[in-house]
Amino acid sequence: MDWWCCGVARSTTFQSYCPSGPQVTKHPTEVKGLRVEPIIRSGLRTFTDEAGHLWCALADYFIRQALFEQARDVYEEGIASVLTVRAPPST
C-alpha cells in the first residue's frame, strides 16, 4: 500500500501532510537541512490512525543511515504506543 500517494482524487489531510515521504525516509543521505525525526513525530501526534506507518517510516529512516540502535528504540517506542493493530485479511 502506497500510503504516501498524493493524488488529487485520493488526497487526504495525511497524504497532503508529507507528500515527499518516500524520498525523505528512503534516501536520508540525500536530504539536507530537513529535520526528519521531528516532522515524523509531529505526524504521529496529528495522525494517530497512521501511527504504525509513521513509526515504521521513522525506523526505516534510521536503518538506512546505519543507526540500528536508534531504529530499534523507535520500533520499541512504536510497539509500546500504538493503540490498535489490524489483523491481515483472512483468505
Side-chain angles (χ1 to χ4, degrees):
M1 177 175 163
D2 186 10
W3 52 278
W4 294 96
C5 177
C6 191
V8 174
R10 290 184 39 194
S11 183
T12 65
T13 305
F14 173 71
Q15 291 163 339
S16 299
Y17 172 74
C18 194
S20 61
Q23 291 76 32
V24 170
T25 59
K26 294 187 181 190
H27 305 284
T29 57
E30 298 171 18
V31 177
K32 303 288 184 220
L34 188 62
R35 297 176 58 211
V36 175
E37 185 175 6
I39 291 170
I40 294 177
R41 287 188 180 275
S42 170
L44 285 164
R45 288 186 298 275
T46 306
F47 304 103
T48 55
D49 58 328
E50 297 291 339
H53 295 292
L54 289 169
W55 283 116
C56 289
L58 184 56
D60 185 44
Y61 173 75
F62 288 126
I63 288 169
R64 290 174 188 270
Q65 295 181 80
L67 300 170
F68 302 114
E69 288 184 26
Q70 274 186 277
R72 185 201 63 224
D73 292 343
V74 167
Y75 279 127
E76 288 176 357
E77 188 178 351
I79 289 169
S81 68
V82 171
L83 300 174
T84 59
V85 177
R86 284 184 283 211
S90 59
T91 56

